[in-house]
Amino acid sequence: MMRAPLGTDETPELQAVLDALDDEGCRRIIEALDEPMAAKELSEECDIPLSTTYRKLELLTDAALLEERAVLQPDGHHTTEYDLVFEEVVIQLDEDRTLDVGVTRPSQSTDERLETLWAEVSKET
């Protein structure tokens, strides 16, 4: 049903998704992310204190709704940017009468998949 970041088939936990979407600050961040942004930019754009912004970003990342990427700067340093990794979230009642979450992911080009994998490898080293 859902394609998670990095092409895994992990389904996010229902409660994590509900907690993130129930939070007004998280919803403001989602609405502001029309392109990848750093935490400081999101803090300013959403008028949320930076420390609170980091907590909201963690909620959204734990719910597999955001992706965190390291971006190499020309001076050799890197910054962290956040981007949406979903197009649609669906909460449904399955055949067993339990709630289930489905997340539709945008398709990635080969270059985007390679960039994502490289960023993940860079985090490991």
Side-chain angles (χ1 to χ4, degrees), residues 88-100:
E88 180 180 58
V89 174
V90 177
I91 309 297
Q92 61 190 11
L93 194 60
D94 67 16
E95 304 93 34
D96 299 329
R97 306 286 302 158
T98 57
L99 289 173
D100 189 23

Side-chain angles (χ1 to χ4, degrees), residues 44-65:
E44 293 167 1
E45 176 78 21
C46 298
D47 196 29
I48 301 172
L50 187 57
S51 59
T52 303
T53 299
Y54 280 112
R55 286 194 298 275
K56 306 299 181 192
L57 291 170
E58 185 175 351
L59 272 173
L60 289 162
T61 303
D62 289 347
L65 300 176

Side-chain angles (χ1 to χ4, degrees), residues 51-121:
S51 59
T52 303
T53 299
Y54 280 112
R55 286 194 298 275
K56 306 299 181 192
L57 291 170
E58 185 175 351
L59 272 173
L60 289 162
T61 303
D62 289 347
L65 300 176
L66 284 189
E67 179 178 67
E68 180 179 328
R69 293 185 198 150
V71 178
L72 188 60
Q73 300 298 313
D75 64 3
H77 292 86
H78 78 277
T79 59
T80 302
E81 289 185 340
Y82 298 87
D83 198 11
L84 294 177
V85 289
F86 77 97
E87 292 178 344
E88 180 180 58
V89 174
V90 177
I91 309 297
Q92 61 190 11
L93 194 60
D94 67 16
E95 304 93 34
D96 299 329
R97 306 286 302 158
T98 57
L99 289 173
D100 189 23
V101 63
V103 179
T104 304
R105 306 282 181 195
S107 59
Q108 287 186 315
S109 70
T110 303
D111 289 343
E112 290 170 326
R113 285 193 304 267
L114 182 58
E115 178 184 340
T116 301
L117 287 171
W118 182 251
E120 196 62 29
V121 167

